[in-house]
Amino acid sequence: MEQVMASIPDLEIAETGISKDNSAEAEQFKIRVDEIFQKVDELEQKVNEVEQFNLNSSKKQQSSSKGSSMGKERDKGRQVPSIKKQQQDASRREAAAAKRMQELMRQFGTIVRQITQHKWAWPFMQPVDVKGLGLHDYYEIIEKPMDFSTIKNQMEAKDGTGYKNVRDICADVRLVFNNAMKYNDEGSDVHLMAKTLLEKFEEKWQLLLPKVTEEERRRDEEEAEAQLDMQLVREAAHAKVVRDLCNELYEVDTHLEHLRETVVQKCRKMSTEEKRNLGTAIARLSMEDLNKALEIIAQSNPAFQAMAEEVEIDIDAQSESTLWRLKFFVKDALELQSRSAMSTGGNNNYNNKRKKEICDAIAKTAKKKSKKTSS
């Protein structure tokens, strides 16, 4: 994105060399450049969105990488489902899972009836009459009271407030007996009755537990599969965004190149004084920008070796297009350089040496041209 932005020329009339008679045309160029800037801003926002998505996807892949080699092999040939198909599949899965859970809850209801029909179950059928029995400290000891009438009401609830999972009912059944054992002394009748019924319940629960575990495993697998499908849909959507983004960037770049060439063609011929000033300005560039300037020359002159040990630049031999490109680039580079005003460091000795060699070559060529002109 920075390359696109940096390559947009400054279209000030005095700087480009477009004659004042063509000021209306220059104004049109400015409008087109403003449109490109706006388009670049939109594309930059899209790039940020894609980068954020890729970052999140990378984190998810890292967190799920352990033990996922078999899953990756399985997912290689997986087709990306449509959103509509995902919704249909999700509805079917939820309906099937709800039906299976209802069957498990029906079987659990049989266990509850067997326990409540025991001769020792009567103390646990209704909420504890705390006030009637004078149990003033009951709520200080028991945080969450529970009884079988409350459990039954929740199992039969039709308003959506009932139990959603067998394990939730199991937890409340245990709570009934654990509360009784916690509040009543170990040697008391109620404590013994609660302990005995809890043991009977656990025996029956162990018979149903494998089915509950299998259902939970199946639900986890279906949920993981649904998440994977959703991830594939998101990735497919973002892949399309990336493709569209690449096409738009290419269009902007093509438009920009055409605009730049049009501007250069409209520019007047550069004077000898301007060429000399351009050579002086090039000598003020940083090593990095100097190499970029050499690349601009190489673009219109394939035989020019920008990275050679010895480089000789003949400013007068450059085409008008190359000269104005250099002028645009050098102007922007020097403005940025003056703002940053920071030294490079590191390989400074080598950079300064090479920079001096190139600048000397520009000066030497200019002197030759000057002597020829004077003679």
Side-chain angles (χ1 to χ4, degrees):
M1 195 64 65
E2 290 178 359
Q3 292 178 350
V4 175
M5 299 287 285
S7 61
I8 296 177
D10 183 351
L11 295 179
E12 291 295 334
I13 297 171
E15 293 296 332
T16 59
I18 297 177
S19 66
K20 293 183 178 179
D21 294 336
N22 293 329
S23 59
E25 191 173 15
E27 186 64 29
Q28 288 298 318
F29 284 136
K30 288 182 182 180
I31 294 173
R32 290 168 67 186
V33 169
D34 289 339
E35 291 173 352
I36 291 178
F37 269 112
Q38 184 177 356
K39 184 66 175 177
V40 167
D41 288 340
E42 294 173 1
L43 295 178
E44 190 170 15
Q45 184 176 355
K46 291 181 180 179
V47 168
N48 291 336
E49 291 173 359
V50 171
E51 286 178 346
Q52 187 61 45
F53 175 81
N54 291 335
L55 179 63
N56 293 337
S57 296
S58 177
K59 289 180 179 178
K60 287 180 181 178
Q61 288 175 0
Q62 289 175 4
S63 63
S64 61
S65 60
K66 187 170 69 173
S68 61
S69 58
M70 292 181 64
K72 288 179 181 178
E73 290 296 325
R74 181 191 61 191
D75 298 335
K76 280 182 179 178
R78 190 186 188 90
Q79 293 184 343
V80 179
S82 65
I83 294 178
K84 183 177 180 181
K85 186 176 184 302
Q86 268 197 316
Q87 292 173 341
Q88 292 173 344
D89 290 345
S91 297
R92 283 195 293 266
R93 281 195 302 266
E94 288 174 5
K99 189 175 181 180
R100 295 194 304 269
M101 184 55 68
Q102 286 176 359
E103 174 58 22
L104 287 174
M105 292 177 75
R106 186 192 66 78
Q107 296 179 38
F108 192 89
T110 301
I111 296 175
V112 172
R113 280 194 300 274
Q114 291 173 350
I115 295 298
T116 55
Q117 289 172 1
H118 194 278
K119 62 181 180 179
W120 285 355
W122 63 268
F124 316 109
M125 298 304 296
Q126 298 296 328
V128 175
D129 185 5
V130 175
K131 187 175 181 180
L133 296 174
L135 308 177
H136 306 296
D137 59 348
Y138 187 81
Y139 293 117
E140 296 176 7
I141 299 173
I142 303 302
E143 296 178 4
K144 182 184 177 183
M146 185 56 60
D147 64 276
F148 280 108
S149 67
T150 301
I151 293 174
K152 184 174 181 294
N153 290 337
Q154 276 198 267
M155 289 181 68
E156 296 175 353
K158 304 296 184 182
D159 58 357
T161 60
Y163 293 111
K164 302 295 189 298
N165 191 289
V166 174
R167 286 190 183 272
D168 293 338
I169 316 175
C170 179
D172 279 352
V173 171
R174 286 172 173 158
L175 185 60
V176 171
F177 300 129
N178 286 328
N179 282 350
M181 289 188 290
K182 182 177 182 180
Y183 187 78
N184 295 276
D185 294 336
E186 189 172 349
S188 66
D189 291 341
V190 174
H191 186 104
L192 178 61
M193 295 161 75
K195 183 177 181 181
T196 302
L197 291 180
L198 179 59
E199 290 173 354
K200 289 184 178 296
F201 167 74
E202 293 293 354
E203 290 175 2
K204 296 179 183 297
W205 167 247
Q206 291 300 317
L207 298 176
L208 183 62
L209 184 58
K211 293 181 181 180
V212 176
T213 303
E214 174 60 23
E215 173 60 22
E216 291 171 340
R217 183 194 62 78
R218 184 171 178 176
R219 281 206 171 195
D220 288 343
E221 288 182 354
E222 289 178 350
E223 179 64 23
E225 187 174 354
Q227 290 293 331
L228 176 60
D229 287 344
M230 181 61 71
Q231 181 68 13
L232 290 175
V233 169
R234 291 196 190 102
E235 289 177 358
H238 274 78
K240 184 179 183 303
V241 170
V242 171
R243 287 195 301 271
D244 294 344
L245 188 58
C246 290
N247 292 334
E248 289 181 271
L249 285 170
Y250 177 77
E251 289 177 7
V252 169
D253 196 41
T254 303
H255 186 192
L256 193 55
E257 184 64 25
H258 175 72
L259 180 60
R260 185 168 50 201
E261 288 300 327
T262 303
V263 171
V264 170
Q265 290 170 12
K266 295 290 181 181
C267 290
R268 58 174 170 71
K269 188 175 181 180
M270 192 175 287
S271 67
T272 302
E273 179 69 19
E274 286 174 314
K275 290 178 184 178
R276 184 164 57 250
N277 291 339
L278 177 59
T280 303
I282 291 174
R284 291 165 52 202
L285 293 174
S286 67
M287 191 62 212
E288 181 181 356
D289 288 334
L290 186 57
N291 285 331
K292 290 179 181 177
L294 296 179
E295 289 174 6
I296 292 174
I297 296 173
Q299 286 175 4
S300 58
N301 184 6
F304 181 77
Q305 300 294 323
M307 300 307 294
E309 286 294 326
E310 295 184 5
V311 178
E312 185 171 332
I313 302 175
D314 186 352
I315 291 290
D316 292 323
Q318 306 306 317
S319 65
E320 290 298 321
S321 171
T322 301
L323 289 173
W324 283 105
R325 279 190 177 186
L326 282 171
K327 185 177 177 65
F328 293 143
F329 171 76
V330 171
K331 178 179 178 295
D332 290 341
L334 289 179
E335 285 179 355
L336 184 62
Q337 194 171 301
S338 64
R339 284 198 298 267
S340 61
M342 294 177 65
S343 58
T344 53
N347 246 349
N348 254 356
N349 291 337
Y350 171 77
N351 288 344
N352 290 337
K353 181 181 177 183
R354 175 168 170 77
K355 179 178 174 181
K356 186 176 184 301
E357 290 173 353
I358 295 173
C359 294
D360 289 345
I362 296 174
K364 192 182 297 181
T365 305
K367 286 180 181 178
K368 288 180 183 178
K369 292 289 181 180
S370 178
K371 285 181 181 179
K372 287 181 181 179
T373 303
S374 62
S375 60

